[in-house]
Amino acid sequence: MKKLKRGASFFICFPVMTLLFFGALGTAAGADDAYTAARKDMVLHQIKSRGIVDPNVLPAMERVLRHEFVPSSRKKDAYDDRPLPIGYGQTISQPYIVALMTQLLKVDHDSTVLEIGTGSGYQAAVLAEIAKAVYTVEIVQPLHVRSGKTLSRLGYKNISTLNKDGYFGWAVHAPYDAIVVTCAADFVPPPLIKQLKPGGRMCIPVGPPFKVQHLVLITKTETGTISTKVIASVRFVPLTRKGE
Ligand code: SAH
């Protein structure tokens, strides 16, 4: 009787453990799924081929399940070489632009990162694959709620979200090693410069709404001096302010 029980519990436990094992892999960190080949292809032909080399960025782009961040009707287009609509007049950025901005930030496993413009949550997820902690601010409440749900469903534990005007950054967690702004501003918000650590880097599209803007890399030296470098011409949705 005892033997039978042990045997039975082995056979019951085995499938449960198997499920748990594959269940754990099936979260954020890229088990094989229907889109694995599309993701590999995206990294090879859209990202590596355009000169992205950062050994943290490439695997992160291959791991994050981009199709989980787009509306279900657009899943089949998720790995295309372009931005996609996510509702509320907003877009998820083109994969290459996400990779480029992430590489420019030089994020590593000790970094604390601030993102302005959570949107779908995709850029935050890519950062969270590399960094220690990601803080992300979104002004549109339904996007804040939806991205928060997506990120927790996928198992991201090192991302904190906030529904506020990101112009003011997120002061309580400052200073940040890196700041990424994923909406275009007419000028660089001074609170963000203030919240950047000496030695830190910020990437932000600067320019008029719905026209060609400049992707700018801002570096703060250890002594606090600011330097800027224009990296590329881009087109992002505008940074809006409450009441606009
Ligand atoms: N990083 C996003 C891209 C989102 S598009 C992604 O990976 O999907 C830019 C986002 O910036 C939009 O969701 C928009 O609502 C948001 N946004 C615009 N102005 C903002 C502001 N002042 N503060 C915070 N978020 C803002």
Side-chain angles (χ1 to χ4, degrees):
M1 189 63 189
K2 262 189 174 171
K3 256 188 183 170
L4 190 69
K5 258 191 174 166
R6 259 208 306 267
S9 72
F10 171 79
F11 284 112
I12 292 163
C13 274
F14 181 69
V16 172
M17 278 160 60
T18 312
L19 273 179
L20 284 176
F21 179 67
F22 287 110
L25 282 178
T27 60
D32 269 12
D33 60 89
Y35 297 91
T36 303
R39 239 177 354 264
K40 280 193 194 318
D41 202 62
M42 172 191 84
V43 169
L44 193 62
H45 297 294
Q46 301 173 32
I47 294 171
K48 268 190 180 167
S49 65
R50 291 189 178 117
I52 303 296
V53 291
D54 187 318
N56 288 327
V57 176
L58 294 171
M61 295 296 297
E62 201 165 313
R63 273 199 303 270
V64 179
L65 310 178
R66 183 170 164 95
H67 59 277
E68 298 286 352
F69 294 87
V70 302
S72 20
S73 61
R74 306 304 294 253
K75 277 194 198 299
K76 60 182 185 335
D77 309 321
Y79 298 96
D80 287 1
D81 190 13
R82 58 179 164 132
L84 288 173
I86 54 169
Y88 307 92
Q90 308 303 326
T91 54
I92 177 174
S93 304
Q94 179 190 8
Y96 167 65
I97 292 292
V98 174
L100 174 65
M101 290 173 98
T102 310
Q103 174 167 273
L104 287 168
L105 295 175
K106 294 206 169 138
V107 174
D108 66 26
H109 305 299
D110 291 326
S111 305
T112 299
V113 187
L114 173 68
E115 179 194 25
I116 306 304
T118 317
S120 67
Y122 177 68
Q123 170 80 76
V126 171
L127 288 165
E129 292 281 348
I130 308 168
K132 184 169 75 186
V134 177
Y135 296 92
T136 179
V137 184
E138 170 58 53
I139 199 167
V140 177
Q141 206 255 356
L143 285 176
H144 159 76
V145 171
R146 193 174 69 195
S147 55
K149 282 183 187 159
T150 307
L151 292 167
S152 41
R153 178 166 51 80
L154 293 175
Y156 287 99
K157 304 236 183 310
N158 56 342
I159 303 177
S160 309
T161 64
L162 177 69
N163 179 211
K164 270 243 160 91
D165 180 353
Y167 177 92
F168 300 103
W170 193 345
V172 279
H173 302 292
Y176 299 97
D177 299 290
I179 300 179
V180 62
V181 183
T182 66
C183 38
D186 290 327
F187 58 92
V188 183
L192 299 185
I193 300 269
K194 199 170 163 206
Q195 289 172 29
L196 192 60
K197 217 179 246 182
R201 297 156 77 83
M202 177 179 354
C203 193
I204 176 169
V206 180
F210 305 112
K211 300 225 169 87
V212 174
Q213 304 128 5
H214 289 131
L215 185 62
V216 178
L217 175 66
I218 296 170
T219 316
K220 196 187 244 187
T221 64
E222 294 296 341
T223 55
T225 311
I226 300 297
S227 71
T228 61
K229 186 177 174 197
V230 173
I231 303 294
S233 294
V234 287
R235 206 182 270 257
F236 276 80
V237 294
L239 182 141
T240 55
R241 307 298 312 281
K242 278 275 185 236
E244 271 182 340

